[in-house]
Amino acid sequence: MRAIVITAQGGPEVLDHRELQDPVPGRGEVLVDVAASGVNFVDIYHRSGVYPVPLPTSIGSEGAGTVTALGPGVEGVAVGDRVAWVNVLGSYAERALVPADRLVPIPEDVSFEVAAASLLQGLAAHYLTHTTHEVKQGDTVLIHAAAGGMGLLLTQLAKLRGARVIGTVSTPEKEKAAREAGADEVIGYEGFAEQVKRLAPPGVDAVYDGIGKATFEGSLASARPRGVVAVYGVASGPVPSFDSQALTSRGSLFLARPSLVHHIAERDELLSRAADVFGWIGRGELKVTVSRRYPLAEARQAHEDLAARRTTGKLLLIP
């Protein structure tokens, strides 16, 4: 089979498209023919070394496909099942080994591409709007990178829960995408905290910040007293060390650095959140935008495009 492998962490050039032996499922594992793999910032973190991984390794952490073989001890899964998964290294490949207890069944009305494009970011958007800060009718929230794959889903879920959404974007094209997803106000990054305070003088109830270093100070300044700032990603780099007294001086803010892994650790929670996400998609309440599809061999280009923020919506690799 063909797969993307790294033997060292670094820039996109370390992504090596190579031939590997077909994997054999071990105890509790299944083998899946991959139909589509999601491209996410977490993959860039694994590749670059922000998140260390054992080397050498095949990367990619989200995918969808068809079960083709079962390892010993696997129950409740059958060959031919349509499944998706997240947080499983090795998804940039024609075939992937996945722990059976990490599989999510794909409903018939959801395609492989939509499943691969929606599960990781959909689950993250779910916990951010339902757990980190439970968005309520009448809330005002600030969503950074509102036209990215994550931002578009966050915007839609916040609107489903009755919030007013202020989104940040970098281009007119991205402004259009954010507004089509339901954003009430769309602003640029330059002086965004001042713009937010004009639109919502008390500040916003929650800030969803997947950018990190470049937006962090402005995110704190945008929140209302006792508001929530959720830094769920660090696309521009890690947030620098800061004096926690800044949270008090800005109104006893709540700062969260949440991760998906802790919100789907139990299988029941994984399946419950996934059922919600796929249900919204099936009912047409959540639209998933796949902006670009790349052959597996072009993983490097996909990483370059994502890191440079040249895209809107979700990127996929198609083996």
Side-chain angles (χ1 to χ4, degrees), residues 144 209-217 219 231-240:
H144 286 306
D209 189 341
I211 297 176
K213 181 179 179 180
T215 50
F216 180 64
E217 286 297 330
S219 292
V231 180
Y232 66 86
V234 289
S236 68
V239 171

Side-chain angles (χ1 to χ4, degrees), residues 147-149 174 291-292 294 305-306 308-315:
K174 292 183 177 183
S291 61
R292 295 192 190 179
Y294 304 78
D305 290 344
L306 182 61
R309 310 187 71 81
R310 289 193 285 260
T311 62
T312 59
K314 186 76 173 194
L315 310 185

Side-chain angles (χ1 to χ4, degrees), residues 76-259:
V77 182
V79 170
D81 283 356
R82 302 169 71 249
V83 295
W85 61 91
V86 296
N87 290 354
V88 178
L89 275 178
S91 302
Y92 287 5
E94 292 177 330
R95 297 178 186 87
L97 288 178
V98 184
D101 64 358
R102 293 287 88 191
L103 291 175
V104 173
I106 303 174
E108 289 302 318
D109 57 358
V110 176
S111 71
F112 285 126
E113 286 197 2
V114 169
S118 63
L119 196 56
L120 188 150
Q121 291 176 335
L123 293 173
H126 189 295
Y127 82 71
L128 286 167
T129 56
H130 289 64
T131 305
T132 305
H133 171 74
E134 187 175 358
V135 177
K136 302 177 292 299
Q137 182 76 34
D139 278 359
T140 298
V141 301
L142 172 63
I143 297 173
H144 286 306
M150 184 68 184
L152 292 173
L153 296 183
L154 273 172
T155 297
Q156 292 175 79
L157 291 192
K159 293 303 296 181
L160 277 176
R161 294 183 68 84
R164 177 191 181 204
V165 173
I166 302 171
T168 57
V169 299
S170 57
T171 68
E173 176 192 16
K174 292 183 177 183
E175 176 180 355
K176 182 175 183 291
R179 290 193 184 279
E180 288 175 349
D184 300 280
E185 309 285 351
V186 183
I187 59 179
Y189 290 101
E190 184 68 29
F192 72 83
E194 290 77 13
Q195 297 182 70
V196 168
K197 284 301 182 73
R198 285 196 296 271
L199 295 167
V204 298
D205 296 282
V207 181
Y208 295 115
D209 189 341
I211 297 176
K213 181 179 179 180
T215 50
F216 180 64
E217 286 297 330
S219 292
L220 294 181
S222 298
R224 65 163 173 80
R226 295 170 59 186
V228 174
V229 177
V231 180
Y232 66 86
V234 289
S236 68
V239 171
S241 299
F242 72 102
D243 184 350
S244 61
Q245 184 64 27
L247 302 178
T248 303
S249 64
R250 293 185 182 277
S252 297
L253 302 183
F254 294 88
L255 175 63
R257 180 61 177 96
S259 173

